[in-house]
Amino acid sequence: MPVEITWWGHATCTVEDSNVRVLTDPLFARRLAHLRRRRGALPPPGAAPRADVALVSHLHADHLHLPSLMRLAPGTRLLVPRGARRAVPGLRRLAHLRISEVAPGDETPVGDIVVRAVPARHDGRRLPFGPHRSPALGYVIAGEARTYFAGDTGLFDDMAKEVGPVEVALLPVGGWGPYLGEGHLDADRAAQALERLAPRSAVPVHYGTYWPIGMDAVRPHEFHAPGDEFVRLAARHAPAVAVHRLGHGESVRLEAAR
C-alpha cells in the first residue's frame, strides 16, 4: 500500500498510511496576526481538516493554531507537547477533541500506525505570552512506511540517532519572514539533515505560504526560492534521495516497502 503525502502549505500536511489520516500542524487561516497567506488557496473544508489524528509540533501560533484545531471533527485525536494545556489555556476549550500530551520517546498507536514523538531543537514557548515552556517535537509516523515530520527544528548532532531510520522526511526549508532565527532549517541545513537521515524520499515544507504584511519587497527570495534551492542542494548532499517539491494542495504517492 503506498503512502500519500499532501502539502496544504506552511507546515500543514496530510500523511495517509495504512488507511489512517495524519494531519500535521493544522493552519487554515488567510491571516495570522501580522502574517497573510500569499500563495496557495486555503484547503477545501472537507479535505484537510479530516483526520484520524492531528500532530502539533510546538506551541508557536503558526503551528498550534486554535481556530484551525476547532475545525477538526469531533473525536479526532490530537497530540501536543507535554505542558501545552498549561501554557495554552485555550486548548481546554477543544472539548470535542481527544487531546494527549506527549514527550520525546512517547509512542501513540492510532489504528494500524504508531506515532512516536522525537526531539526537535526549537524554542518551545508560547510566544509572546507567559513563561511556560513545552518541548518542541518532531514525530515519526510508522505504518507501511516510517515518515518523519520535523515540525520546526535546527540541525543537531544526534538527529539521525533520535529520529531513527525513516523512508520519508518532511523537512522545513524556510520560514514566514525574511530572516530565520536560531532553531530553524534553511534549504542548506535541511539538505544536510537529509544527508544524515538518508530517507528514500523527501518533501520540503514550511516555506512559500505566509509572509509579513507590508514586507513583500524585503528579501522576497526567502519566500520564493527555498523549495527549488532545497532540491538543488539535496542533489549535492544526498543524491540518492528522491525529492518531491509539491505545490499547495498537491500530493505524491510513495511506495511503502520497508
Side-chain angles (χ1 to χ4, degrees):
M1 178 185 300
V3 173
E4 184 166 291
I5 310 293
T6 304
W7 182 50
W8 301 108
H10 203 54
T12 306
C13 300
T14 296
V15 179
E16 295 189 63
D17 188 332
S18 306
N19 294 314
V20 178
R21 287 176 60 93
V22 182
L23 181 64
T24 67
D25 286 350
L27 181 58
F28 312 128
R30 296 188 184 279
R31 179 172 174 176
L32 173 62
H34 64 299
L35 306 179
R36 65 181 173 91
R37 191 174 180 114
R38 289 192 56 211
R39 182 184 288 171
L42 288 175
R50 183 168 58 86
D52 298 292
V53 59
L55 313 178
V56 169
S57 62
H58 62 287
L59 305 189
H60 293 173
D62 58 322
H63 293 259
L64 195 170
H65 186 244
L66 291 170
S68 295
L69 296 177
M70 284 292 296
R71 292 176 56 184
L72 300 181
T76 302
R77 297 200 67 171
L78 176 64
L79 305 187
V80 299
R82 183 171 295 169
R85 279 179 283 204
R86 181 178 67 163
V88 188
L91 282 170
R92 301 168 193 164
R93 298 198 301 269
L94 304 180
H96 67 300
L97 304 180
R98 295 187 292 153
I99 302 176
S100 299
E101 295 189 354
V102 295
D106 289 349
E107 295 187 345
T108 305
V110 183
D112 290 332
I113 69 168
V114 174
V115 179
R116 176 169 56 92
V118 299
R121 298 296 185 269
H122 192 68
D123 188 339
R125 292 174 294 171
R126 179 68 165 182
L127 300 175
F129 309 107
H132 298 305
R133 181 184 298 270
S134 291
L137 302 173
Y139 294 93
V140 175
I141 302 156
E144 292 291 327
R146 289 166 296 218
T147 300
Y148 171 46
F149 168 63
D152 252 351
T153 186
L155 194 64
F156 56 97
D157 291 341
D158 291 336
M159 176 177 277
K161 178 181 177 181
E162 297 282 7
V163 172
V166 293
E167 285 75 50
V168 184
L170 312 180
L171 295 179
V173 301
W176 51 252
Y179 302 99
L180 282 175
E182 185 179 354
H184 293 84
L185 295 178
D186 60 10
D188 182 56
R189 291 192 291 271
Q192 293 178 53
L194 204 62
E195 184 176 14
R196 298 182 186 191
L197 296 167
R200 288 205 312 268
S201 303
V203 176
V205 302
H206 203 288
Y207 76 100
T209 309
Y210 292 92
W211 203 248
I213 294 169
M215 296 187 69
D216 290 8
V218 180
R219 297 174 63 86
H221 62 283
E222 298 290 355
F223 178 82
H224 293 285
D228 289 334
E229 187 74 354
F230 175 69
V231 172
R232 182 181 69 82
L233 292 169
R236 178 194 304 168
H237 286 279
V241 180
V243 177
H244 304 272
R245 190 182 71 78
L246 303 178
H248 293 78
E250 289 186 347
S251 303
V252 60
R253 293 169 68 87
L254 304 170
E255 290 304 317
R258 291 168 60 173

